[in-house]
Amino acid sequence: MLEELKKRVYEANMLLPKYGLITFTWGNVSEIDREAGLVAIKPSGVDYDKMTPEDIVILDLDGNKIEGRMNPSTDTPTHLELYKAFPEIGGVVHTHSTFATSWAQAGKDIPCYGTTHADYFYGSIPCIRNLTAEEIEEAYEKNTGLSIVERYMKDNINPAYVPGCVCKNHGPFTWGENGNEAVHNAVVVEEVAKMAFLTLGINPEAGMTPQYMQDKHFMRKHGPNAYYGQGK
Ligand SMILES: [Zn+2]
């Protein structure tokens, strides 16, 4: 069942070690088949070099396991809340990549200091609030997803324009049209987190990229009149 989806999710998961985004098993990729209403995700705690496409777990949006021998990633409820709240997304990634996680631990939004950031993220990459003890006790992973959604709603952030965030004292979650694109955005978050850190090291007073420059860079790739790349 959904063999193509499982293969894609397996391959997207294998990109995480390839791009140096994970240590041990600290990361996961999922992708949704919107028509079937089913999500494919990495199994929990399985070494990347031992994982096969057959190990990928299929669930419905309520978290019921539909297929798979293994338990799904413990972060699955976070992925499911993002799919439910953001109907335009098709893939979700979570890692503990070093620089993005450092911004999460520092409790800071990652400001846009240059066009690398502006090409992919329109404005700051938000740092999502900590959960309360009650929220963690009640349903930690589900409430992590809801806390992300809460911030996007509260600040009127478009999830298609800001395809990722860092959760305070935890790490980054990114998303995209599919698993591959979500991984791509996870790489971008790590790179711009690193660049922002280095920028502040060189000049703690560095200002953000002027808004008109951010507008130009983001919109030429993602706006209604995008013209970057081939065939747009
Ligand atoms: Zn985590």
Side-chain angles (χ1 to χ4, degrees), residues 1-9 31-33 35-40 53-54 56 58-59 66-67:
M1 185 184 184
L2 301 172
E3 298 310 313
E4 275 303 304
L5 179 67
K6 283 198 276 189
K7 186 161 173 282
R8 277 205 309 279
V9 168
E31 191 170 308
I32 187 168
D33 180 327
E35 220 161 277
L38 296 175
V39 173
E54 282 313 300
I56 300 298
I58 306 275
L59 307 114
I66 303 297
E67 190 179 279

Side-chain angles (χ1 to χ4, degrees), residues 9-224:
V9 168
Y10 165 77
E11 285 167 358
N13 272 285
M14 295 308 287
L15 293 175
L16 299 182
K18 180 183 165 196
Y19 289 125
L21 293 178
I22 51 154
T23 306
F24 301 129
T25 61
W26 311 335
N28 39 71
V29 183
S30 70
E31 191 170 308
I32 187 168
D33 180 327
R34 289 278 178 192
E35 220 161 277
L38 296 175
V39 173
I41 193 163
K42 179 178 172 284
S44 180
V46 173
D47 285 340
Y48 284 83
D49 54 357
K50 299 204 177 76
M51 191 169 52
T52 71
E54 282 313 300
D55 296 331
I56 300 298
V57 183
I58 306 275
L59 307 114
D60 66 21
L61 276 169
D62 295 321
N64 301 304
K65 186 154 81 171
I66 303 297
E67 190 179 279
R69 286 163 295 157
M70 305 207 191
N71 293 326
S73 161
T74 50
D75 295 311
T76 300
T78 311
H79 292 236
L80 297 182
E81 291 309 318
L82 295 174
Y83 287 126
K84 284 193 255 185
F86 302 153
E88 63 271 63
I89 71 173
V92 173
V93 172
H94 173 53
T95 78
H96 289 192
S97 65
T98 307
F99 283 88
T101 299
S102 300
W103 282 84
Q105 294 184 175
K108 294 279 193 192
D109 293 359
I110 307 173
C112 180
Y113 287 124
T115 64
T116 323
H117 180 130
D119 278 338
Y120 293 90
F121 286 81
Y122 194 48
S124 296
I125 297 168
C127 180
I128 309 299
R129 70 171 175 87
N130 262 331
L131 299 184
T132 63
E134 291 73 26
E135 287 171 322
I136 287 182
E137 175 75 16
E138 188 222 352
Y140 175 43
E141 293 83 5
K142 179 187 167 85
N143 285 330
T144 297
L146 291 176
S147 71
I148 295 170
V149 174
E150 170 197 86
R151 172 74 182 272
Y152 276 67
M153 296 296 163
K154 182 165 72 75
D155 290 353
N156 202 17
I157 303 171
N158 180 345
Y161 282 11
V162 183
C165 59
V166 293
C167 289
K168 188 156 184 238
N169 300 124
H170 187 177
F173 282 86
T174 59
W175 48 84
E177 276 174 28
N178 50 44
N180 246 317
E181 202 195 300
V183 171
H184 194 100
N185 287 330
V187 174
V188 173
V189 166
E190 178 61 7
E191 280 305 306
V192 301
K194 186 197 279 185
M195 289 178 187
F197 170 77
L198 293 171
T199 300
L200 288 174
I202 296 164
N203 177 8
E205 311 293 317
M208 278 203 260
T209 310
Q211 190 60 47
Y212 58 85
M213 213 168 152
Q214 292 189 43
D215 291 349
K216 181 68 181 168
H217 269 265
F218 188 84
M219 292 305 167
R220 70 177 188 168
K221 273 184 95 129
H222 308 278

